[in-house]
Amino acid sequence: MSIFADWPWLLPAIAGAIALIMLMIRFPKVWLGLFLVALPFFLTDTGKGVSVSESISGGLFTGTIILWMLWRMALNPRPLIRGWTDFLLIFFIVAAFANIIVAKLNSIELFGWAVDWSYFLLMLYYFPFRDVFGENEKSFRQFLGLAAVSSSLMALYSAYSFKQRMAENMIYAYQITASRSATLGPIFLLSICICVVIIFNSKWKTKFLTSFVVILNVAALVLTFTRTLWVLVFACTLIAMFFMKLKQNIRLVTATIALSTITIMTFYAINPKVAEVAINLVQSRFTSSSQLSGGDRSFETRIIEVNNAWRKVKEAPLGGNGLRARFVTWAPIEQWHNSTSFVHIGYVGIIHKLGFPTAFILFAVLIGFSIRSLFAALQSRHPSAPPLARSLAVGVLAFIPAMYVNIFMAGIFDQRYGNVMFAFIFASIAMSEEFIRRARAEHQKHLLQ
């Protein structure tokens, strides 16, 4: 009994693990649904280090996905790996595990290394998403519904956190941006890309619910005060418009202008002073981009950081320096030398930690799924394509360029939200192309009869 007195969280953790394993085997949809609903808590940083709650939730989520993979390969006769992208994804995670040797040689603390490597395991949720929710159209709709609930909860949680930080820290109006958090910004953008297309390919009830999800995610995206994501909203929407009909595009542009005008006018009517401050903050975020030297400290930080990381890359180009490997860089904002393992430019960051060969395996996975996404979106233009599958294919393709930009800006490979987002993207591509293929085959069969 003393062990439970020393670690009071151990008994709930064991109970949670048993419950999740039972759900994973008996009710996999419930297991995956709990995972999606828990994401707002799981993906949000709680501060420095790894807390007990993060350790428990991370252990439960990564442990059950490993068990599912083993259970699936042992008992299910259907092939788990259905293409070279699937093979490379598993190969990358295995190759990344070999990095433990490099970490040991470089005296990296192995618990920290294991935490960073466990983030890669979150990408494996692609396989149960695809298998469980790709069985039929009803399951597919459930997947999209759960994803919508998850992104809405993330948006609400992000807005609540912003409000709390403002109440605790803000003294002057210009400090509003100090209360922001850009952690989940890419997920908000992905949700917007998909939902905007769904609105124009669904019935009125789905349109209404999806519009509500869009509004929540747009609001959360605005509160990130991340100008890159703001610009990408328009860029991604333009890509989606190439796959939409002319009338749909006209309605989209009209609705966007109308809603933006109404929102700004309402904002000014409720509190003109706060509205004026907010507009000025948005303008200042964009104007600082034109001052790359001495003005945009964020850009300077990234350039200095990546130069220092690249020097470490040249010292160990093949094996890397190990996950959690630190290097010293100058921080222009704080005006001090900082020892860090994080690199904002994710392409360099992953090479710095894993080396060129292993990093290129992951790059090949992303490129492979990007190509599949393009073909799925092109095939979705066929009249037989189911509306939801068409929407998901086009929405994900619209986000793909933003995904590569976000890797450049936010180093999402070693972040929990980044790897979960990859799992969702991969599963969305696989399911949409499969449903489009089935519908087209059924259409051809009907024509031949």
Side-chain angles (χ1 to χ4, degrees):
M1 294 297 292
S2 60
I3 189 172
F4 294 112
D6 294 335
W7 294 293
W9 49 265
L10 187 58
L11 189 59
I14 294 174
I18 295 173
L20 273 182
I21 292 172
M22 292 178 64
L23 288 174
M24 179 200 75
I25 296 173
R26 188 68 182 88
F27 303 104
K29 287 183 181 179
V30 178
W31 163 57
L32 294 173
L34 288 175
F35 173 69
L36 288 170
V37 172
L39 286 180
F41 164 77
F42 179 60
L43 300 183
T44 305
D45 293 332
T46 59
K48 295 182 179 179
V50 180
S51 66
V52 172
S53 58
E54 287 176 306
S55 299
I56 294 174
S57 59
L60 292 177
F61 288 141
T62 55
T64 49
I65 187 58
I66 292 174
L67 289 175
W68 185 89
M69 294 287 290
L70 296 174
W71 174 79
R72 169 68 171 76
M73 289 185 289
L75 299 179
N76 197 317
R78 293 182 302 165
L80 180 69
I81 298 175
R82 302 179 187 176
W84 64 271
T85 47
D86 293 1
F87 169 77
L88 287 178
L89 176 55
I90 295 178
F91 184 39
F92 163 74
I93 293 174
V94 174
F97 183 78
N99 183 258
I100 193 173
I101 300 173
V102 175
K104 184 66 176 177
L105 293 174
N106 287 341
S107 300
I108 295 173
E109 197 267 317
L110 292 185
F111 177 76
W113 179 93
V115 169
D116 279 13
W117 178 77
S118 70
Y119 293 162
F120 297 141
L121 295 175
L122 296 173
M123 284 191 284
L124 294 178
Y125 272 92
Y126 149 63
F127 292 103
F129 282 157
R130 181 198 67 188
D131 282 14
V132 174
F133 291 112
E135 291 179 336
N136 50 58
E137 190 174 341
K138 180 181 178 181
S139 298
F140 184 52
R141 288 197 300 269
Q142 291 171 343
F143 172 71
L144 293 177
L146 286 169
V149 170
S150 182
S151 70
S152 298
L153 291 175
M154 289 184 213
L156 291 170
Y157 182 79
S158 182
Y160 171 77
S161 299
F162 177 82
K163 181 182 177 181
Q164 291 297 105
R165 287 189 295 269
M166 278 219 315
E168 294 171 2
N169 304 321
M170 197 181 77
I171 300 175
Y172 303 103
Y174 67 82
Q175 291 178 310
I176 290 177
T177 54
S179 301
R180 75 189 181 103
S181 174
T183 301
L184 301 179
I187 294 181
F188 300 146
L189 178 59
L190 173 60
S191 181
I192 293 168
C193 290
I194 295 172
C195 289
V196 164
V197 185
I198 289 178
I199 289 173
F200 293 96
N201 290 280
S202 58
K203 297 179 180 179
W204 70 269
K205 185 178 180 180
T206 305
K207 288 179 188 289
F208 175 78
L209 295 174
T210 308
S211 298
F212 180 70
V213 176
V214 170
I215 291 171
L216 287 178
N217 281 271
V218 167
L221 190 66
V222 170
L223 293 179
T224 65
F225 286 94
T226 305
R227 54 183 174 251
T228 304
L229 293 175
W230 293 345
V231 173
L232 287 173
V233 170
F234 298 101
C236 294
T237 302
L238 285 175
I239 294 173
M241 290 173 70
F242 281 109
F243 294 88
M244 295 167 63
K245 298 176 182 178
L246 179 60
K247 290 183 179 179
Q248 293 175 330
N249 288 332
I250 293 174
R251 290 202 299 269
L252 174 59
V253 173
T254 304
T256 301
I257 294 173
L259 287 174
S260 300
T261 304
I262 292 171
T263 301
I264 294 173
M265 290 176 64
T266 304
F267 200 10
Y268 268 101
I270 295 173
N271 197 324
K273 290 184 178 180
V274 175
E276 188 67 32
V277 171
I279 296 296
N280 289 335
L281 282 173
V282 172
Q283 291 176 343
S284 67
R285 291 294 294 164
F286 282 111
T287 54
S288 65
S289 301
S290 62
Q291 303 170 3
L292 299 183
S293 178
D296 193 337
R297 294 296 188 184
S298 179
F299 182 82
E300 281 190 65
T301 299
R302 284 163 168 76
I303 295 301
I304 297 170
E305 183 182 77
V306 78
N307 285 333
N308 288 308
W310 192 252
R311 280 195 286 270
K312 300 293 289 184
V313 168
K314 290 189 287 188
E315 294 176 7
L318 296 179
N321 295 278
L323 294 171
R324 254 335 142 90
R326 305 183 75 85
F327 61 95
V328 177
T329 185
W330 172 251
I333 298 175
E334 294 85 1
Q335 292 291 298
W336 64 33
H337 282 91
N338 182 31
S339 176
T340 181
S341 63
F342 179 72
V343 184
H344 283 84
I345 299 179
Y347 302 104
V348 175
I350 198 72
I351 294 171
H352 160 248
K353 294 169 183 176
L354 297 179
F356 278 101
T358 305
F360 280 179
I361 297 172
L362 181 55
F363 298 161
V365 172
L366 296 180
I367 293 170
F369 275 104
S370 299
I371 294 172
R372 289 174 62 179
S373 177
L374 175 60
F375 280 113
L378 292 173
Q379 291 167 359
S380 73
R381 304 176 75 173
H382 193 272
S384 65
L388 283 180
R390 180 189 302 120
S391 301
L392 191 60
V394 172
V396 170
L397 177 66
F399 178 77
I400 291 294
M403 178 188 74
Y404 288 107
V405 173
N406 275 288
I407 293 171
F408 185 84
M409 299 300 297
I412 63 180
F413 290 126
D414 53 359
Q415 304 292 313
R416 278 169 284 184
Y417 79 87
N419 290 285
V420 170
M421 186 175 69
F422 288 144
F424 177 84
I425 291 172
F426 299 161
S428 297
I429 293 169
M431 284 190 287
S432 58
E433 65 183 3
E434 177 63 18
F435 279 107
I436 291 169
R437 184 196 64 78
R438 290 180 193 173
R440 193 159 188 171
E442 191 67 28
H443 178 73
Q444 293 292 336
K445 180 180 177 180
H446 179 73
L447 291 177
L448 294 174
Q449 289 178 348

